[in-house]
Amino acid sequence: MPAQSSALPASPELTSLKIRQQAAWSSGNYAIVGTTLQIVGEELCEALDLRAGSKVLDVAAGNGMASLAAARRWCDVTSTDYVPALLERGRARASAEGMAIEFVEADAENLPFDRDSFDTVVSTFGVMFTPNQDQAAAELLRVCKPKGKIGLANWTPEGFIGQVFKTLGKYLPPPANTRSPALWGTKARLSEMFDAGASSIKAESRIFNFRYRSPEHFLEVFRTFYGPVLKAFAALDAAKQEELRNDLHALIVRMNRAGDGTMIVPSEYLEVVITKR
């Protein structure tokens, strides 16, 4: 499909932020974390009531969590991300399961697809991290067919991952004039971005349980493989790294419900189904 994007030129600040974010997500190996979130993609596809044969676009797909879930429901799936290494991970997963998925390198703020191309557009913990939130929302609406659906899974500000990012922000304040990704996990912000193009927005609070061997194991995995956390630690000196590590550990301990030395931390996210006008 030829590109007919509605993207507007980004400000220098947003362009710079996008470059840094792309570098962060390209570092580490998000696929290690993404694979553990698979149930969210499955549940989102059920919430969307996907039908076999539907054309589905997965935006900022990572290693294909929602892409695989849609393909398992016999949909015609296109999986996109701006990190080529993650697309390769998704391609390997699809091949292992015998799933026919098209993988395309693409920027969520400038999708290379025609208007009204897809029956359903999805993003799980992906598009919420775009620097230009309004432009990304406009692109999701643009490529979705009239009366089609947009399905999102977004971490909330109050939930565990929202608090992780709030903790990181104490050590590395976000750039001026940028919005928190966690705003995608609020009904108010979703209304701001989608009301004009939507006939309905349904947003329900859901819980994903992070299950790890211990709080220390979670910190090791996220510090090694989860780009934003990896980059945050790399930007700090040794003393500040230790402070950040202690703050994150305290957050986990406070929210951990396991009680046996392992880690089970509930993390709230918003499951969103938007119907386009």
Side-chain angles (χ1 to χ4, degrees):
M1 282 172 272
Q4 291 186 0
S5 171
S6 60
L8 299 174
S11 69
E13 294 82 4
L14 290 179
T15 299
S16 175
L17 176 58
K18 180 180 289 188
I19 292 170
R20 294 197 301 275
Q21 284 186 338
Q22 188 170 15
W25 291 112
S26 299
S27 63
N29 184 359
Y30 175 73
I32 299 295
V33 176
T35 299
T36 69
L37 300 166
Q38 184 62 45
I39 192 173
V40 175
E42 302 291 341
E43 291 181 343
L44 181 61
C45 286
E46 286 301 299
L48 287 162
D49 198 21
L50 285 183
R51 307 301 168 90
S54 296
K55 294 185 66 176
V56 176
L57 175 67
D58 190 358
V59 177
N63 65 322
M65 168 174 46
S67 303
L68 285 165
R72 292 187 184 111
R73 290 157 177 81
W74 306 105
C75 295
D76 179 6
V77 181
T78 302
S79 185
T80 66
D81 203 282
Y82 70 173
V83 179
L86 289 176
L87 292 175
E88 286 302 316
R89 291 282 185 161
R91 187 176 285 111
R93 295 179 76 192
S95 176
E97 294 196 24
M99 298 292 179
I101 298 174
E102 181 181 7
F103 291 87
V104 178
E105 186 176 344
D107 179 353
E109 296 174 10
N110 187 16
L111 294 169
F113 307 106
D114 283 343
R115 182 179 302 277
D116 305 339
S117 290
F118 296 92
D119 300 300
T120 305
V121 181
V122 301
S123 187
T124 49
F125 312 129
V127 73
M128 65 179 291
F129 292 102
T130 51
N132 191 336
Q133 297 185 359
D134 293 299
Q135 178 61 35
E139 282 292 271
L140 298 184
L141 283 165
R142 183 184 65 81
V143 300
C144 185
K145 292 179 180 179
K147 304 189 186 304
K149 292 181 179 179
I150 298 170
L152 305 171
N154 302 324
W155 301 119
T156 66
E158 300 81 12
F160 171 60
I161 293 298
Q163 292 302 304
V164 167
F165 277 93
K166 184 177 180 180
T167 303
L168 296 180
K170 288 170 50 182
Y171 293 86
L172 295 173
N177 302 318
T178 59
R179 294 176 181 267
S180 167
L183 290 175
W184 282 77
T186 66
K187 294 179 181 180
R189 181 65 179 132
L190 289 170
S191 293
E192 290 176 359
M193 294 189 291
F194 291 101
D195 266 356
S199 61
S200 70
I201 301 175
K202 180 182 178 182
E204 300 289 342
S205 176
R206 297 282 185 258
I207 295 294
F208 172 80
N209 289 302
F210 282 93
R211 298 175 184 270
Y212 282 76
R213 296 188 183 104
S214 64
E216 293 76 18
H217 178 224
F218 174 90
L219 286 170
E220 176 188 352
V221 169
F222 268 61
R223 185 170 177 172
T224 304
F225 298 114
Y226 191 69
V229 177
L230 184 160
K231 287 293 187 181
F233 274 98
L236 301 173
D237 62 30
K240 287 296 184 183
Q241 286 184 17
E242 185 64 17
E243 289 181 27
L244 174 57
R245 186 260 175 211
N246 290 340
D247 279 355
L248 290 173
H249 188 271
L251 172 65
I252 296 168
V253 170
R254 187 167 68 249
M255 298 185 72
N256 190 11
R257 65 172 182 82
D260 60 358
T262 66
M263 172 182 157
I264 304 175
V265 170
S267 187
E268 183 186 44
Y269 69 94
L270 212 58
E271 181 185 82
V272 184
V273 175
I274 299 165
T275 302
K276 183 176 172 179
R277 291 186 188 280

